[in-house]
Amino acid sequence: MSIPAGRDHPPLAPLPVFSFILPAYNELMNIERVTSRLLAMAGQLGEPFEIIWIDDGSTDGSGELLDRLAAQDSCIRVLHFSRNFGHMAALTAGFETARATGAVICLDADGQHPPELIPAMIEQWKSGAEIVQMVRQKTADETPFKRLSSGIFYSLLNRLSDLDLPEGAADFRLLDRQAVDALNSLPERDRFIRGLVRWIGFRQTLLPYDAPPRMAGATKYSTRKMLLFAFDGITSFSIRPLRIIFYLGVAVIFITLLYALYVLGLLIAGGFRVPGWTSLILLIMMLNGIQLVTLGIVSEYMGRVFNESKQRPVYVLRKCTNPHR
Ligand code: UDP
Ligand code: MG
């Protein structure tokens, strides 16, 4: 039995096999070049695909440029955020919107994740990997500060949480449809995607690559944003800092007991002398410091509970260009 062709409706475009998602925050100078490199690469794949740009509240005209590109090519879709919600929110929107039946690939807008490497990722996917994580070996224009801070971040994160993130595992990866569905089903609002992707499991393959310098513009991760990002990563994947506080408390009590014994000994031996202002002040300051840090760490977790309990959406859309029917 054949199904009669619909008369009133235009034929539905086939679902894409691949979705490429690219977050952009003020990337005016990079967008066109990355899009044309991506189109050139994707044209060789021989499968239908879509490109989803997320304009994360850009103020430099990136949004308008993206709309012009979308008008020229119906496989380009653009999600416009109502303001800057951040890289993780943009990726979340991309994963939620991607319709790919095969795999979703996310990459940065600045050319540091070369689209030319995507066929190698797809190769790994075809041979059974459900997640292909690109791992940066070296970055051409990396400052010593960024290298050091990234090293500290990854070793701290891995030590404090049960995650095992290789250093340089940034947001350049391929996810099988099933993995994307799993990621989308995680309800949390604070979305540290690198950790979530590790957490969902599946067969993950690491693929090393050398990152070229940013094509144009400056990094959108200020030191402040990087610090927040690090806090996010650690506190959303580990409660070990809370346990450390407990051990710290036990250690302080133990030391105090030892000191009490010492003072008692002095009293008995008759060598007790009143002057002790310096040690007293030092002790008080030290203990106050420990208490404040403790309070800070506890508040960090409480803040996360507060954020989650508000149940606000991760992002707000202003409009969507070329939405699928
Ligand atoms: N980005 C974003 N929103 C932000 C910050 C960054 O969408 O608030 C995008 C940015 O446009 C780029 C990607 O996230 O496509 C990575 O940012 P960037 O290249 O500045 O980070 P770096 O490579 O320096 O770590
Ligand atoms: Mg970059």
Side-chain angles (χ1 to χ4, degrees):
M1 195 184 83
S2 66
I3 299 166
R7 283 203 192 113
D8 305 333
H9 309 292
L12 283 176
L15 277 178
V17 174
F18 299 111
S19 300
F20 305 106
I21 61 180
L22 302 100
Y25 177 47
N26 293 341
E27 301 281 8
L28 190 63
M29 309 300 288
N30 294 316
I31 287 169
E32 256 178 312
R33 201 133 47 109
V34 167
T35 306
S36 67
R37 284 169 66 184
L38 200 56
L39 283 170
M41 180 282 305
Q44 310 284 313
L45 293 174
E47 304 275 12
F49 63 90
E50 64 178 353
I51 297 177
I52 302 174
W53 277 99
I54 302 99
D55 166 25
D56 185 12
S58 300
T59 50
D60 66 343
S62 292
E64 292 73 14
L65 171 64
L66 286 170
D67 278 352
R68 283 201 297 281
L69 294 177
Q72 290 163 16
D73 201 327
S74 63
C75 76
I76 299 178
R77 297 161 57 198
V78 190
L79 305 176
H80 296 273
F81 280 4
S82 61
R83 63 166 170 86
N84 178 243
F85 278 90
H87 187 193
M88 295 295 112
L91 284 175
T92 302
F95 283 120
E96 286 177 355
T97 316
R99 287 179 307 151
T101 54
V104 178
I105 295 114
C106 58
L107 62 159
D108 282 359
D110 59 0
Q112 292 199 285
H113 299 164
E116 293 74 22
L117 299 177
I118 292 175
M121 299 165 80
I122 292 178
E123 211 47 55
Q124 293 284 332
W125 171 68
K126 282 189 174 153
S127 51
E130 287 154 318
I131 294 174
V132 183
Q133 173 68 57
M134 301 301 278
V135 184
R136 189 181 57 227
Q137 299 300 296
K138 54 177 191 276
T139 308
D141 62 343
E142 202 171 41
T143 60
F145 173 70
K146 185 131 188 177
R147 171 123 223 111
L148 182 75
S149 55
S150 139
I152 293 175
F153 168 63
Y154 279 101
S155 75
L156 214 67
L157 180 68
N158 286 336
R159 218 161 285 173
L160 288 175
S161 69
D162 294 323
L163 288 173
D164 170 27
L165 285 183
E167 186 181 348
D171 293 293
F172 185 19
R173 68 174 75 80
L174 173 150
L175 270 82
D176 180 77
R177 176 78 252 170
Q178 215 187 341
V180 174
D181 290 341
L183 188 67
N184 290 344
S185 75
L186 300 179
E188 57 221 85
R189 268 123 187 107
D190 265 317
R191 300 188 76 79
F192 181 67
I193 304 243
R194 289 165 208 199
L196 296 178
V197 165
R198 203 79 187 132
W199 186 89
I200 55 174
F202 293 105
R203 280 193 295 277
Q204 310 208 358
T205 301
L206 304 179
L207 212 58
Y209 77 106
D210 287 332
R214 207 171 215 288
M215 292 192 310
T219 176
K220 304 298 177 296
Y221 270 98
S222 58
T223 309
R224 193 185 73 89
K225 263 192 182 172
M226 243 156 51
L227 256 175
L228 283 179
F229 188 64
F231 266 133
D232 241 24
I234 290 167
T235 50
S236 57
F237 278 91
S238 163
I239 54 163
R240 223 160 274 170
L242 294 176
R243 292 213 186 103
I244 292 174
I245 291 175
F246 174 75
Y247 293 131
L248 197 67
V250 172
V252 169
I253 289 174
F254 185 70
I255 293 170
T256 312
L257 277 179
L258 282 185
Y259 188 64
L261 279 181
Y262 166 73
V263 173
L264 264 174
L266 274 186
L267 263 180
I268 292 166
F272 188 75
R273 269 182 249 120
V274 178
W277 189 84
T278 317
S279 58
L280 202 65
I281 287 295
L282 284 181
L283 210 66
I284 291 175
M285 276 166 56
M286 180 72 187
L287 286 180
N288 273 341
I290 292 179
Q291 276 181 13
L292 283 180
V293 169
T294 305
L295 204 65
I297 295 176
V298 174
S299 316
E300 185 69 29
Y301 283 93
M302 212 185 69
R304 299 189 72 81
V305 176
F306 173 65
N307 277 341
E308 294 293 331
S309 69
K310 284 184 292 191
Q311 307 226 343
R312 286 200 190 134
V314 178
Y315 55 88
V316 176
L317 283 183
R318 172 180 290 125
K319 68 168 179 173
C320 179
T321 313
N322 280 354
H324 57 80
R325 267 169 276 127

